[in-house]
Amino acid sequence: MIEGVVTDAREAVLDLLVWGPEGRQREIEAVIDTGFSGYLTVTPGLASELGLVFEGQARATLADGSQTMFPYYGVSVRWDGQDRYVEAGAADTTPLVGMRLLENHSLFMEIEDGGRVVIEAR
C-alpha cells in the first residue's frame, strides 16, 4: 500500500524514492495526474542530478490541446515496496505520477485538505 495526502490546493501528492543507474537517489513529492497516460515525470535538473540515461523523445498532448516533444529517461522508483524501472518524461513542472504507474492498482482519495490518498495493488 502507498499512502499520500490531498493538499489544500486539492492535489493528491505522494513521496517517492527515485534513483539513477549509479545509485544516486532522491525522495520527491509527485502529484497524481489521471490525465497523464505515462509513468512519471521528473524535472530536467533531477534527471541530470541522478545521472538518468536518455532513452529518446516522445510527443505529448497537453491539457490545452497543444502538442510538444519532450525527452524521456529510464529511472528506478520504489513503488508499493517494489523497485521498478520506468520511463520518466523530463518537464519543467512538479513531478507527476501517471496512469501507467497506477495500472493494476486501486486509488482512493478523500478530497479535502489533509485527506488521505491510498493506492493498493489489485
Side-chain angles (χ1 to χ4, degrees):
M1 177 171 51
I2 302 165
E3 294 189 66
V5 66
V6 175
T7 69
D8 60 354
R10 301 304 181 260
E11 292 181 324
V13 298
L14 307 171
D15 290 328
L16 298 175
L17 182 65
V18 295
W19 63 94
E22 297 171 6
R24 285 178 268 172
Q25 58 182 289
R26 178 120 170 256
E27 188 166 292
I28 62 169
E29 184 177 87
V31 175
I32 295 172
D33 183 352
T34 60
F36 169 46
S37 61
Y39 289 100
L40 187 66
T41 67
V42 296
T43 64
L46 182 60
S48 177
E49 176 185 327
L50 297 178
L52 300 183
V53 176
F54 175 78
E55 293 191 353
Q57 293 267 61
R59 183 178 310 278
T61 303
L62 304 178
D64 66 2
S66 65
Q67 292 196 344
T68 188
M69 295 293 289
F70 64 93
Y72 65 92
Y73 298 84
V75 66
S76 295
V77 60
R78 178 77 36 84
W79 184 256
D80 200 17
Q82 303 292 316
D83 296 346
R84 292 187 60 188
Y85 185 79
V86 301
E87 294 174 352
D92 285 317
T93 186
T94 302
L96 302 174
V97 169
M99 294 297 282
R100 293 207 55 198
L101 200 51
L102 292 167
E103 191 170 22
N104 297 315
H105 288 74
S106 296
L107 172 63
F108 171 80
M109 295 186 283
E110 296 172 335
I111 312 300
E112 61 188 20
D113 186 14
R116 289 179 56 218
V117 175
V118 178
I119 300 168
E120 292 183 303
R122 294 186 294 124

